[in-house]
Amino acid sequence: MIEQFKSVDINPLIFWMKMARGKEIKPVLTLIFVLFSAHYIVNCQTGTIQNIYGRDHVSLNGRWNYIIDPYEMGYYDYRHMPFDASESGKGGFYDDRKPKDKTDWVEYDFDLAPTMKVPGDWNSQAEKLQLYEGTVWFRQKFQADPKPGKRYVLYFGAVNYESHIYLNGKKLGMHKGGFTPFQFEVTGKLNKGENVVIVKADNTRHQNEIPTINTDWWNYGGITRDVLFAELPATYIQDYKIQLAKGNLNKIEGFIQLDGKEKTQTVLINIPEAGIKQKVTTDATGRANFSFSVNKLIYWSPENPKLYSVEIEAMSDKITDRIGFRTIETRGQDILLNGKSIFLRGIALHDENPLIPGRLRGEGDMRMMLQWAKELNCNYVRLAHYPHNEQMIRLADEMGLLVWAEVPVYWTISWQEQATYQNAEKQLTDLMNRDKNRSSVIIWSMGNETPVSEPRNVFMGKLVSTARSLDDTRLIAAALEISHKGDKVVVEDPLGEKLDLVSFNEYAGWYWSSVKDMLNYKFDIKYNKPVVITEFGADALGGFHADSDTRWSEEYQEQLYKNQFTMLTAIKGLRGMTPWILADFRSPRRQHPYYQDFWNRKGLISETGKKKKAFFVLRDFYDGIQKKYN
Ligand code: GCB
């Protein structure tokens, strides 16, 4: 068994220590190989496949063997040259040592390695990994029976942060970005019977990545979302968008994109419950743009989150999705949902389970979080500060929660680096592609608290233009910073010109002023747009009671919320808010040994699930708002 295993899956670790004293690869040759493999990697990764869950697939979730590799022994030889560099045109790695140098000496063994759950972050699954940042290798075996005329895809919902993927000893490619999906086409690369997938996941933080080294959340590593193996027809429906046209309740607009040889096909779009049947024809590039009139639709809203079953039937492929139809736009200082003014009664949340610390593990965890938001009488959530799971957005569609979706352009990004910008744009594009059919998503956020400077303004401005060119049916926003002039809280970030909302993180009574004095401040907002406060809050240790002047107490947090409502409702254009935050979450920045102990305590719910006093204050405030808006 072990011998057999070695023969199929010792790559990419084939040289692990075997090579340690072996022949070195010449630097020039190495460079050529590195360039070659970069080309190979880019070509191997396919575009985002819309609605992967709607395809024939098997889940590769489950227990994966893992090897912790802090020195990246499986990736570099003892001269710190990547083994990948020896990837050749012959396909995969090759061992160019002379037979006399070869040895069977291998210093790893996946079969004897421990296992952990995938999807799942590693930090919460092994004590020695709690604070670990670096490389962990994962291995899973699966059965396949590839059929002629079919295509196959290996899909990863998310791996944090940089991942290198290998199938049956050959590298498929690499991906950067810890929260967006990616996939590789593996047609022609599968064995009939057993197949072995190996993932190198590396969550090392770097200044010029997205996010950068400094954040206020736990840097959970690993394969944190679903891994799927999907079968597709030779020509398949790769992508589609079916949404109401911008501001038009009577027109559906969108496109269908086929991938494969039979690009020109007739495609039917059926929405049986709405009596809609439309026929479109894809062009020589496999694309059909369409637009048609509709009447008698039941519009999606938080009060009635109506989803229609939408069938797309090409000649060679068919897929079904559940899609809601709604419009969202701004007019002056109003936000209009389906043409009617709305107040966004929101709360912010991280993709983390406070009760069993770690990333949300599946539907049960996600439902718990969104159900808590519902108990607060929310109609809106800010999914901070990075793309959350596709399943979370689908759940928001189903449960009737509007969504602010964000990319991790957070704090002090390397604004001047071209590669950093491209990375941010890729993550934004991937998020927008993935969720463009979700009615719950009404806002794309370009980032959070990015300090004003010329290079930052250019960077963020480009992101806004990209977002607008990709989707004109949603609002574009970012969480801005404030400044102070005497007793004025000023919002004048030049980025505000380009956004649809005035959104800012405010924090009166916590990071500036005290809970007593905060009411002396007034807002000075430069833009005549709807104001949606993205953050305010205070840390409170659940169960710690004192008077309302004592920081860290539930009473302080409660009073701060009350004062916030007094302050904020004085803003004429106030149309929503997402206080920070639904539940306590883990953060390495939060060091106070008694009150924090690595937790950011601004949650309205503690890490034991206890609702703090401020939870009820916010709920009551939202009850009042709801009455006013109905
Ligand atoms: C912020 C950040 C958020 C932090 C929060 C805090 O402004 O956007 O990520 O966690 O403040 O608690 O300080």
Side-chain angles (χ1 to χ4, degrees):
M1 178 61 201
I2 289 183
E3 280 317 303
Q4 188 195 358
F5 144 70
K6 272 185 192 163
S7 66
V8 287
D9 88 339
I10 54 178
N11 286 324
L13 304 171
I14 190 164
F15 293 138
W16 186 304
M17 289 312 288
K18 266 188 170 186
M19 187 71 176
R21 301 275 171 224
K23 198 181 128 197
E24 286 173 55
I25 298 155
K26 290 196 180 64
V28 176
L29 206 58
T30 301
L31 182 66
I32 293 168
F33 283 137
V34 167
L35 292 175
F36 175 83
S37 39
H39 169 78
Y40 171 81
I41 287 161
V42 169
N43 283 343
C44 203
Q45 203 168 324
T46 66
T48 315
I49 296 180
Q50 191 59 214
N51 187 12
I52 192 80
Y53 294 94
R55 318 288 169 149
D56 278 345
H57 68 267
V58 287
S59 162
L60 303 189
N61 294 346
R63 297 207 76 97
W64 290 47
N65 292 89
Y66 70 93
I67 296 173
I68 307 169
D69 187 15
Y71 279 25
E72 300 187 286
M73 298 292 291
Y75 196 74
Y76 294 107
D77 68 12
Y78 85 124
R79 294 298 186 219
H80 212 251
M81 298 302 292
F83 295 131
D84 277 15
S86 66
E87 201 160 43
S88 77
K90 289 177 235 158
F93 300 84
Y94 76 100
D95 184 347
D96 64 349
R97 288 171 300 158
K98 305 225 167 62
K100 70 176 176 51
D101 296 329
K102 293 206 180 194
T103 153
D104 283 337
W105 176 32
V106 179
E107 290 191 293
Y108 76 98
D109 190 332
F110 262 127
D111 278 345
L112 297 177
T115 62
M116 72 165 77
K117 278 188 213 149
V118 168
D121 62 274
W122 66 53
N123 314 68
S124 62
Q125 297 194 61
E127 211 182 329
K128 49 169 120 133
L129 289 173
Q130 195 194 12
L131 284 160
Y132 180 73
E133 297 187 306
T135 284
V136 175
W137 294 86
F138 292 88
R139 186 200 69 179
Q140 181 63 293
K141 297 179 182 180
F142 65 100
Q143 298 291 316
D145 182 10
K147 297 188 191 73
K150 293 283 184 191
R151 294 170 70 181
Y152 296 90
V153 158
L154 203 50
Y155 167 93
F156 294 85
V159 181
N160 192 30
Y161 169 82
E162 180 175 317
S163 53
H164 296 248
I165 316 291
Y166 305 81
L167 178 68
N168 299 327
K170 288 183 187 152
K171 185 160 189 173
L172 295 174
M174 70 90 92
H175 179 263
K176 274 187 182 188
F179 305 97
T180 39
F182 57 96
Q183 62 269 305
F184 297 99
E185 176 151 5
V186 294
T187 315
K189 294 179 179 151
L190 294 159
N191 298 325
K192 186 173 162 58
E194 185 173 276
N195 289 269
V196 181
V197 57
I198 291 181
V199 176
K200 174 189 192 289
D202 180 1
N203 71 338
T204 308
R205 288 168 295 125
H206 298 284
Q207 168 55 40
N208 55 4
E209 296 294 334
I210 304 286
T212 175
I213 35 178
N214 198 18
T215 70
D216 188 25
W217 66 81
W218 208 266
N219 181 25
Y220 289 110
I223 307 174
T224 51
R225 296 190 187 152
D226 291 337
V227 185
L228 307 179
F229 172 57
E231 183 183 89
L232 303 160
T235 301
Y236 66 95
I237 301 161
Q238 188 246 325
D239 199 6
Y240 55 85
K241 181 177 182 185
I242 304 180
Q243 293 278 285
L244 285 177
K246 181 183 162 76
N248 191 336
L249 286 165
N250 298 108
K251 190 158 103 181
I252 287 184
E253 233 174 37
F255 71 86
I256 308 254
Q257 178 68 53
L258 303 181
D259 185 294
K261 289 207 178 93
E262 300 159 61
K263 293 246 168 24
T264 309
Q265 295 194 25
T266 303
V267 184
L268 297 174
I269 303 160
N270 292 332
I271 313 178
E273 215 188 321
I276 294 171
K277 261 188 194 294
Q278 284 290 320
K279 202 189 271 185
V280 299
T281 307
T282 50
D283 64 16
T285 67
R287 189 170 172 107
N289 295 321
F290 57 79
S291 133
F292 53 85
S293 323
V294 283
N295 42 43
K296 287 209 235 134
L297 272 183
I298 300 170
Y299 299 112
W300 185 99
S301 71
E303 293 72 38
N304 183 16
K306 170 71 190 164
L307 298 176
Y308 285 93
S309 173
V310 177
E311 301 160 6
I312 305 167
E313 194 173 347
M315 286 141 83
S316 61
D317 192 15
K318 180 176 174 179
I319 187 149
T320 304
D321 206 342
R322 291 175 75 215
I323 298 181
F325 297 98
R326 55 103 198 90
T327 58
I328 190 80
E329 54 194 322
T330 63
R331 188 178 307 143
Q333 293 200 302
D334 275 330
I335 300 173
L336 306 178
L337 177 74
N338 300 325
K340 198 174 152 228
S341 180
I342 187 173
F343 189 98
L344 301 174
R345 309 187 307 270
I347 191 72
L349 48 125
H350 266 296
D351 178 3
E352 188 187 74
N353 184 340
L355 305 181
I356 310 166
R359 290 265 171 246
L360 298 173
R361 296 160 305 163
E363 195 188 321
D365 287 0
M366 292 177 208
R367 239 178 231 286
M368 173 185 82
M369 298 296 277
L370 295 184
Q371 194 51 44
W372 277 336
K374 287 283 214 185
E375 282 176 44
L376 270 173
N377 197 10
C378 289
N379 60 3
Y380 167 62
V381 286
R382 177 183 182 201
L383 301 182
H385 281 300
Y386 38 75
H388 286 221
N389 203 312
E390 178 175 344
Q391 300 300 334
M392 186 75 165
I393 322 295
R394 286 183 175 272
L395 215 48
D397 263 15
E398 183 192 308
M399 293 172 71
L401 284 160
L402 297 156
V403 167
W404 161 298
E406 189 159 302
V407 282
V409 177
Y410 183 95
W411 291 355
T412 52
I413 298 293
S414 295
W415 306 114
Q416 317 240 36
E417 284 194 37
Q418 191 52 23
T420 308
Y421 175 76
Q422 253 136 23
N423 184 348
E425 191 180 272
K426 174 89 171 70
Q427 293 192 39
L428 175 67
T429 308
D430 287 348
L431 165 68
M432 293 178 71
N433 275 336
R434 191 193 70 179
D435 294 339
K436 59 179 173 275
N437 290 306
R438 304 284 74 83
S439 40
S440 54
V441 179
I442 52 163
I443 298 164
W444 302 119
S445 165
M446 306 296 103
N448 179 73
E449 282 187 356
T450 53
V452 176
S453 74
E454 192 46 32
R456 169 274 194 183
N457 298 348
V458 171
F459 186 112
M460 295 301 279
K462 275 162 65 186
L463 278 189
V464 172
S465 309
T466 300
R468 290 209 188 278
S469 71
L470 289 173
D471 185 5
D472 66 353
T473 68
R474 292 177 173 86
L475 309 180
I476 308 293
L480 306 179
E481 292 188 307
I482 51 166
S483 55
H484 293 274
K485 281 187 191 141
D487 63 356
K488 289 221 163 62
V489 179
V490 184
V491 185
E492 58 184 357
D493 182 335
L495 182 62
E497 298 281 359
K498 300 193 161 127
L499 305 172
D500 293 318
L501 304 174
V502 188
S503 290
F504 52 92
N505 297 349
E506 177 252 294
Y507 286 107
W510 189 255
Y511 289 126
W512 55 273
S513 179
S514 65
V515 78
K516 267 200 193 126
D517 299 333
M518 59 191 274
L519 292 173
N520 299 330
Y521 289 83
K522 299 267 171 306
F523 287 92
D524 177 5
I525 297 172
K526 299 287 176 215
Y527 306 104
N528 182 38
K529 299 181 181 184
V531 178
V532 179
I533 312 294
T534 26
E535 291 179 31
F536 66 81
D539 285 67
L541 178 63
F544 172 54
H545 296 285
D547 59 39
S548 61
D549 287 335
T550 306
R551 282 187 186 248
W552 309 105
S553 71
E554 287 196 32
E555 286 71 15
Y556 188 101
Q557 189 190 40
E558 179 188 34
Q559 189 59 46
L560 183 138
Y561 269 68
K562 286 182 181 163
N563 290 0
Q564 282 287 352
F565 301 145
T566 308
M567 259 182 108
L568 296 177
T569 45
I571 301 175
K572 193 176 128 276
L574 185 76
R575 291 295 179 275
M577 61 180 73
T578 44
W580 192 254
I581 183 170
L582 180 63
D584 289 355
F585 62 96
R586 280 167 59 175
S587 168
R589 298 173 63 80
R590 306 300 172 176
Q591 301 273 341
H592 191 284
Y594 183 80
Y595 297 115
Q596 294 177 306
D597 189 23
F598 285 110
W599 287 87
N600 183 314
R601 297 288 185 196
K602 294 191 188 69
L604 296 175
I605 298 177
S606 78
E607 92 276 23
T608 61
K610 180 187 184 299
K611 291 176 177 128
K612 303 178 194 173
K613 289 181 132 189
F615 181 99
F616 302 99
V617 174
L618 181 61
R619 188 196 59 189
D620 294 349
F621 174 70
Y622 281 161
D623 283 346
I625 293 269
Q626 189 180 17
K627 287 193 187 101
K628 208 172 124 199
Y629 268 76
N630 269 341

